Amino acid sequence: MNTSTTPVAAVMTPKPVCARLDTPVKEIAETLTRRGISAVAVVDRRGLIAGVVSEFDLVRLLREDRRRHWWQRATAPPRTAKDVMSSPARTVAAGEPVCDVAARFTETGLRRLFVVADGRPVGVVARRDLIGMFSRPDIDIDHEVTTLLWKALQLGPERARAMVHDGVVTVAGRVERRSEIAAVTRLVEAVPGVIEVRNGLDFVWDDVA
């Protein structure tokens, strides 16, 4: 796995749960409980992320309500996402490298970050998603690498083959051009779960020298 090149979009959970600015707090609390999640993204009318409502925000609201008199609570209008959300939302771009996202988690202590593209939430990444990169089964890595070699470089098993053991991918075979060897390494490194690439490819034509 090359965490400097693997984008966070490769490990995120797509289609995050979102709420509108006017979504009632009660509805958000029910969503968190029912879906077993810890936060929702709050979006405006254009679909752009405006903030985040997390379990922490709701617990903080309970504390604030406790400090108010009963008649203040009785006459206050229902709270909405806009009233309790944390804003601006802390986000990462879909193309941001996993290593940079890991640094953000370390620096902030956050449990999750929403992933955005053009300002719109497209996924959510949690700390456990990054950890999961190290525990991906070899058979899944092998399947993705083999598919990648064929679709991206038209390298079938008669020209190149990959063997995976404990996340280490060994590539053997022969390609037409020497420049293809580096391309194979870059592509395989970006596959989630790959810890190291050992490229043993040979070449026919030297187009690099």
Side-chain angles (χ1 to χ4, degrees):
M1 167 190 57
N2 188 338
T3 57
S4 65
T5 58
T6 301
V8 69
V11 299
M12 72 180 186
T13 300
K15 299 180 180 178
V17 179
C18 298
R20 305 178 307 277
L21 288 168
D22 61 353
T23 300
V25 166
K26 184 176 185 296
E27 183 178 326
I28 294 175
E30 291 173 346
T31 298
L32 296 184
T33 302
R34 184 178 67 257
R35 301 289 292 270
I37 56 179
S38 61
V40 297
V42 181
V43 296
D44 62 18
R45 292 181 179 180
R46 297 173 295 170
L48 301 177
I49 189 166
V52 173
V53 176
S54 67
E55 294 171 326
F56 178 82
D57 295 312
L58 298 184
V59 171
R60 181 175 56 191
L61 177 61
L62 290 174
R63 182 183 180 185
E64 293 174 357
D65 282 348
R66 182 182 178 186
R67 294 176 176 176
R68 297 194 298 170
H69 295 292
W70 67 267
W71 64 82
Q72 291 176 313
R73 295 195 297 268
T75 58
R79 301 289 187 95
T80 64
K82 184 179 180 179
D83 300 321
V84 302
M85 69 183 185
S86 296
S87 181
R90 293 185 179 182
T91 63
V92 293
E96 193 164 340
V98 165
C99 62
D100 292 348
V101 177
R104 293 278 295 278
F105 280 133
T106 302
E107 294 165 0
T108 64
L110 292 173
R111 296 172 57 187
R112 108 291 300 154
L113 289 164
F114 283 93
V115 183
V116 298
D118 297 324
R120 293 174 169 78
V122 296
V124 61
V125 60
R127 290 181 295 191
R128 63 178 176 272
D129 295 321
L130 303 191
I131 296 172
M133 294 181 67
F134 294 98
S135 59
R136 191 179 186 194
D138 284 346
I139 190 171
D140 292 346
I141 298 174
D142 181 87
H143 176 74
E144 184 167 346
V145 169
T146 300
T147 301
L148 187 65
L149 291 176
W150 171 245
K151 289 187 175 181
L153 297 172
Q154 286 75 54
L155 296 176
E158 73 284 352
R159 296 183 58 196
R161 59 190 180 279
M163 295 162 284
V164 185
H165 181 69
D166 291 339
V168 177
V169 180
T170 301
V171 185
R174 174 175 291 189
V175 294
E176 288 295 322
R177 297 180 298 276
R178 184 178 180 181
S179 60
E180 292 182 75
I181 296 177
V184 169
T185 298
R186 289 193 300 270
L187 285 171
V188 176
E189 282 181 336
V191 173
V194 173
I195 296 174
E196 180 185 349
V197 178
R198 297 174 181 174
N199 197 327
L201 288 171
D202 195 4
F203 60 91
V204 178
W205 304 104
D206 189 346
D207 62 341
V208 176

